[in-house]
């Protein structure tokens, strides 16, 4: 993978021209949106005055301006979607290709819902499942994929109806470097999944036992359940626990892990959309560098957890 | 009279619950020790593989290989007390480590596919054995907490439950074979 210095060279050699084009598109949209705002506000004021003065001409004029303002808004809204698509297809794709040309990027793709459910990282049932910015590839010997995901559930009815976000962030799957057969879950203490009721009713809870580990720091950050006490410790060696803690410090509180069917699943809660371009702030070296750093940080999970260190019997 | 009866029943239920809890914890220790036993046997099975792989290359370590084979035979021939088992296992591991370190002096051996596979297998077994040891020690810790704290300590005393040694390795014997990951 490339380092930050070579990213700087890459940006100035290959990206700055494209970013400039995208910037022109953005500025045009911002101007259009500003005109839409002005027309709408002016027409509303004009309508108010016309109602006071009973002027028919002013009313008709204000209505025409209002329609023009709303039309401009609608056009800008469509234009924004096109701008986001264009940005991802050119800038984000180029950044990912720069990191490794073999990586595949699908702006509209996302992690399969079955994988999300199988991971057991978020046990609450969701009503809506959406995502984007799917990346997959092979880092040395380790296959990985990740995408942004958002899952929500609707609660209540009538006026008390509300949407609860269950997960919003990055969801990462990779080959694990050891042969494992059981299920081991490392949930964040900030978001423990297995409460009293889920222990009784959730199928994930079948055969799970709490695993007490030696590291007090790890125990204070995570809560571990597994179907196999020995295997949980085979996965969570003292050095691996330290690496997981380091990863938590780097990516933020709330990160959870699960290990099943020789794969590792990682859920990283993030508030913002990570790969969306800014609309009201200019795109520049710094903002594009943020996309580069984000992709790097995710792929670094493989290096941080040393998933490329393979043991006998696991290729 | 009725109150006294209820109190006696409650005390009996509490005693029964504590008794069952202690039995479960002791069984967990047995179960954990069994998992160590399984891993140790896996490790013993690697010794003939190691001897077969290296004997054609190593000329100066024949005595070590013979001693290693003898120790393996002794440990699988007759059941040993846990402490003796740990001692024998540690002696084997020292010899084992010695052979692996000596292998550095034989470039052809180091490059052979069998040896590389063996290195991988040893590393895998060591990781699993370490996990089993940690599980055993966690189970023993739980058990000690139960037999040493009130009120289960009273029931444990009546059951004559004793403390169990942790599975520790002396610091000078903690060395593991020097294995490079492929």
């Amino acid at each position: 993978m490339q380092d930050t210095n070579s990213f700087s060279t890459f940006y100035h050699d290959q990206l700055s021209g494209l970013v400039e084009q995208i910037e022109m598109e953005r500025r045009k949209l911002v101007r259009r949106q500003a005109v839409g705002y002005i027309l709408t506000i002016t027409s509303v004021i004009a309508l108010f005055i016309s109602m006071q003065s009973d002027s028919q001409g002013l009313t008709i004029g204000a209505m025409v301006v209002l329609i023009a303002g709303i039309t401009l808004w609608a056009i800008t809204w469509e234009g924004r979607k096109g701008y986001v698509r264009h940005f991802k297809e050119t800038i984000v794709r180029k950044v990912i290709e720069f990191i490794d040309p073999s990586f595949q990027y699908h702006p509209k793709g996302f992690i399969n819902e079955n994988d999300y459910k199988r991971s057991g990282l978020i046990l609450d049932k969701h009503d809506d499942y959406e995502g984007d910015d799917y990346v997959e590839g092979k880092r040395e010997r380790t296959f990985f994929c990740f995408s942004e995901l958002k899952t929500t559930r609707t609660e209540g009815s009538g006026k008390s109806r509300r949407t609860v976000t269950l997960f919003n962030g990055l969801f990462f799957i990779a080959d694990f470097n050891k042969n494992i057969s059981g299920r081991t879950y490392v949930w964040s203490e900030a978001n423990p999944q297995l409460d009293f009721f889920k222990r009784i009713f959730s199928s994930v809870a079948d055969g799970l036992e709490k695993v007490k580990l030696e590291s007090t720091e790890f125990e204070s950050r995570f809560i571990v359940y597994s179907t196999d006490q020995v295997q949980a410790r085979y996965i969570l060696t003292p050095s691996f626990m330290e690496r997981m803690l380091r990863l938590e410090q780097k990516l933020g509180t709330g990160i959870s892990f699960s290990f099943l069917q020789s794969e590792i699943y990682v859920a990283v809660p993030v508030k913002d959309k990570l790969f969306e371009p800014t609309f009201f702030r200019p795109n520049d070296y710094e903002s594009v560098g943020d996309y580069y750093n984000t992709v790097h940080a995710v792929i670094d999970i493989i290096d941080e957890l040393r998933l490329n260190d393979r043991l006998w019997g696991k290729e | 009279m009725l109150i006294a009866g209820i109190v006696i029943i409650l005390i009996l239920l509490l005693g029964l619950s504590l008794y069952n809890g202690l039995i479960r914890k002791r069984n967990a220790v047995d179960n954990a020790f069994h998992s160590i036993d399984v891993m140790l046997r896996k490790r013993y099975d690697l010794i003939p593989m190691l001897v077969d792989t290296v004997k054609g290359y190593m000329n100066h370590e024949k005595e070590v290989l013979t001693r290693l084979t003898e120790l393996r035979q002794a440990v699988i021939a007759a059941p040993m007390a846990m402490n003796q088992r740990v001692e024998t296992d540690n002696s084997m591991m020292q010899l084992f480590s010695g052979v692996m370190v000596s292998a550095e002096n034989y470039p052809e051996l180091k490059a052979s596919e069998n040896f590389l596979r063996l290195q991988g297998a040893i590393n895998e077994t060591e990781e699993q054995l370490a996990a089993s040891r940690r599980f055993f020690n966690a189970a023993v810790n739980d058990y000690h907490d139960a037999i040493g704290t009130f009120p289960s300590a009273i029931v444990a005393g009546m059951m004559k439950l004793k403390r169990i040694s942790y599975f520790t390795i002396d610091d000078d014997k903690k060395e593991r074979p020097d294995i490079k990951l492929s």
Side-chain angles (χ1 to χ4, degrees), chain A residues 100-118:
Chain A
D100 192 318
S102 70
F103 292 172
Q104 301 281 315
Y105 173 59
H106 304 280
K108 289 184 178 172
F110 50 90
I111 294 285
N112 188 297
E113 194 171 350
N114 288 333
D115 285 330
Y116 170 85
K117 284 184 190 164
R118 190 167 43 236

Side-chain angles (χ1 to χ4, degrees), chain A residues 178 214 233-234 236 311, chain B residues 123-124 127 134 142 182:
Chain A
K178 292 177 177 177
E214 305 89 334
R233 289 171 176 86
Y234 172 60
L236 303 170
L311 296 170
Chain B
N123 195 56
E124 174 82 11
E127 290 248 353
R134 288 166 60 212
D142 253 13
S182 58

